[in-house]
Amino acid sequence: MWMSDVHNLGNYTFVAGLLVLGINVWQIVTSLLVGFVLIYAGMNLMGRIGQRHGVPFPVISRISFGVWGANIPALIRAVIAVMWYCIQTYLTSVAVNVMLLAAWPGLTSWTQGAFMAAAERARQAGAEVLVLGCAGMTGLRRTVGEKRGLPVVDGVAAAVKLAESLVSLGLMTSRAGGDARPLPKRRT
């Protein structure tokens, strides 16, 4: 388990960034080894009681936090897992893109050209605004907007701004109980 926390694209990208900053290779290797050992020790200490008694972390956290309080560390771990998955997915897509462009430099015109052609077709069909549908298109907003003369809405930025506005207005989900109860099932 701890090896997956050590050997991943996030760490490789971090190391590459340290090299770009001009840090000595031996300093990087030494600090990585210290970090790996700390991760190894920490994960083994956290897992020791679970391994000894055969219960998972959320059940063990009930000892300290109670039955309802144990939801807090479980949710924190879930949010971290989702965010880390997003980071890994993004870094993997960038790595695959860089590898493909290094192997076949002509692909640059395909990716950007295809998107620009689609934007032009949308403009000719009467589109007055373009809405980017996924996070992978985030970097194209400014380029497409300038070259095609259309306002471009970045879906990720729009979602973040919407969440910010809901929080700043103090709005949350309804507590009125408007959801319908499920129909009772007939037992046979």
Side-chain angles (χ1 to χ4, degrees):
M1 173 82 178
W2 72 275
M3 289 297 279
S4 65
D5 285 343
V6 171
H7 298 290
N8 56 56
L9 259 146
N11 286 349
Y12 299 154
T13 306
F14 179 69
V15 168
L18 293 177
L19 288 171
V20 169
L21 289 175
I23 297 177
N24 186 339
V25 173
W26 291 110
Q27 291 173 325
I28 294 172
V29 169
T30 304
S31 62
L32 285 175
L33 287 175
V34 169
F36 296 164
V37 168
L38 289 175
I39 290 172
Y40 172 74
M43 290 190 75
N44 279 325
L45 284 175
M46 280 193 300
R48 186 177 180 132
I49 191 170
Q51 185 180 19
R52 182 178 296 158
H53 299 290
V55 292
F57 173 80
V59 175
I60 291 172
S61 65
R62 291 178 187 170
I63 297 169
S64 301
F65 297 103
V67 174
W68 291 106
N71 291 331
I72 294 169
L75 285 173
I76 291 171
R77 287 178 67 166
V79 167
I80 291 171
V82 167
M83 292 301 162
W84 190 236
Y85 179 73
C86 293
I87 291 168
Q88 293 281 40
T89 304
Y90 171 75
L91 291 175
T92 302
S93 68
V94 169
V96 168
N97 192 24
V98 167
M99 287 189 312
L100 288 174
L101 291 176
W104 299 286
L107 289 179
T108 303
S109 61
W110 283 14
T111 54
Q112 210 169 35
F115 191 79
M116 294 302 256
E120 181 60 27
R121 284 193 306 272
R123 189 181 68 74
Q124 289 173 355
E128 295 181 9
V129 106
L130 293 175
V131 179
L132 301 178
C134 72
M137 297 179 180
T138 301
L140 296 171
R141 182 184 62 83
R142 182 172 290 139
T143 305
V144 173
E146 289 172 357
K147 289 187 178 179
R148 295 296 175 237
L150 289 173
V152 179
V153 176
D154 179 6
V156 174
V160 169
K161 288 296 182 186
L162 177 63
E164 285 177 2
S165 66
L166 291 174
V167 169
S168 67
L169 292 171
L171 299 176
M172 59 182 67
T173 58
S174 173
R175 302 282 186 228
D179 295 333
R181 299 252 182 231
L183 297 173
K185 293 182 180 178
R186 192 174 62 187
R187 309 268 183 212
T188 57

